[in-house]
Amino acid sequence: DAGITQSPRHKVTETGTPVTLRCHQTENHRYMYWYRQDPGHGLRLIHYSYGVKDTDKGEVSDGYSVSRSKTEDFLLTLESATSSQTSVYFCAISERDSPLHFGNGTRLTVT
Amino acid sequence: AQSVAQPEDQVNVAEGNPLTVKCTYSVSGNPYLFWYVQYPNRGLQFLLKYITGDNLVKGSYGFEAEFNKSQTSFHLKKPSALVSDSALYFCAVSRPSNKFYFGSGTKLNVKP
């Protein structure tokens, strides 16, 4: 597997609490992504980054923010978690016009 | 806007038979197309890609895909299915911003 580490792997949190998911890469790839995977919806892009401090919204960005202060780290924050954000979250990395490489995912449950 | 459609939620095939998993796309300009596979409780693995050149591309585990520009399709194929091919398959498109957009996935069931 490409050098991508997601943390935590599992998290249970309560509605209204802030949550931060971390993605760390050791590949020095320029692009980093956050996706969520839900049954019937496949993978939907939340945010992506095309460089340090350069980010852009994806298909389902409402309720999420991201930060990338270093090449290797891409953080996804749920400012106030809701039950609709219960999902499996995947981080991915790539170079320009190259395939994505995925992390192992974070299973988030919001109660 | 870019989009990908996988019209079949599930495909059932007998072991040894050929398989096809369908994908159509919509993108401005020339598409970059990808197939990924996800085994249960695992992340996604890259299978193959089409960037340019030959319309038939070969990938991992004996899979291949055919790019058809006139039909805006990129169907995944394998001549002889294995039970171990049973998994969830995703088609994706990326152009021009390097954002990747995925289809909703097709569950492939290969029966012995």
Side-chain angles (χ1 to χ4, degrees):
Chain A
D1 290 342
I4 309 169
T5 303
Q6 290 187 233
S7 58
R9 292 295 313 277
H10 302 271
K11 186 170 183 64
V12 180
T13 191
E14 293 184 349
T15 299
T17 59
V19 176
T20 296
L21 308 183
R22 181 179 183 241
C23 179
H24 178 78
Q25 62 148 329
T26 58
E27 306 295 322
N28 201 36
H29 282 5
R30 176 183 177 187
Y31 295 88
M32 297 186 75
Y33 308 76
W34 278 107
Y35 286 88
R36 60 178 289 175
Q37 183 177 15
D38 304 288
H41 293 279
L43 286 146
R44 292 180 290 176
L45 180 64
I46 304 172
H47 283 280
Y48 95 126
S49 170
Y50 48 97
V52 174
K53 297 186 179 180
D54 293 322
T55 65
D56 196 8
K57 295 180 178 180
E59 305 165 271
V60 289
S61 59
D62 288 348
Y64 301 95
S65 62
V66 290
S67 66
R68 191 171 179 198
S69 58
K70 298 184 291 184
T71 298
E72 57 266 35
D73 290 325
F74 193 34
L75 304 180
L76 177 71
T77 297
L78 291 65
E79 301 290 347
S80 177
T82 68
S83 58
S84 65
Q85 294 176 311
T86 292
S87 186
V88 179
Y89 292 85
F90 286 100
C91 175
I93 64 174
S94 80
E95 290 291 5
R96 180 72 181 173
D97 296 336
S98 295
L100 291 175
H101 296 282
F102 285 86
N104 288 326
T106 294
R107 185 173 296 275
L108 176 67
T109 302
V110 183
T111 61
Chain B
Q2 299 156 290
S3 65
V4 174
Q6 294 181 241
E8 302 157 317
D9 290 337
Q10 185 167 301
V11 169
N12 298 311
V13 64
E15 188 174 32
N17 283 358
L19 70 87
T20 299
V21 182
K22 296 180 180 178
C23 171
T24 60
Y25 66 89
S26 173
V27 66
S28 56
N30 294 322
Y32 287 7
L33 296 159
F34 303 81
W35 276 101
Y36 288 82
V37 60
Q38 184 180 35
Y39 298 100
N41 299 313
R42 299 287 301 277
L44 282 86
Q45 300 176 29
F46 167 70
L47 275 180
L48 52 80
K49 67 180 180 182
Y50 172 82
I51 302 295
T52 187
D54 194 347
N55 288 344
L56 184 66
V57 295
K58 296 187 183 298
S60 306
Y61 312 121
F63 283 94
E64 57 190 27
E66 186 170 11
F67 172 65
N68 187 316
K69 187 173 184 178
S70 63
Q71 296 185 4
T72 62
S73 67
F74 188 57
H75 300 332
L76 181 70
K77 300 181 180 183
K78 189 174 183 182
S80 178
L82 300 173
V83 172
S84 57
D85 292 330
S86 298
L88 190 55
Y89 291 81
F90 291 97
C91 182
V93 64
S94 82
R95 284 296 275 172
S97 60
N98 222 65
K99 287 182 180 179
F100 285 70
Y101 292 92
F102 285 79
S104 55
T106 299
K107 184 177 181 182
L108 174 65
N109 295 314
V110 182
K111 299 181 180 180

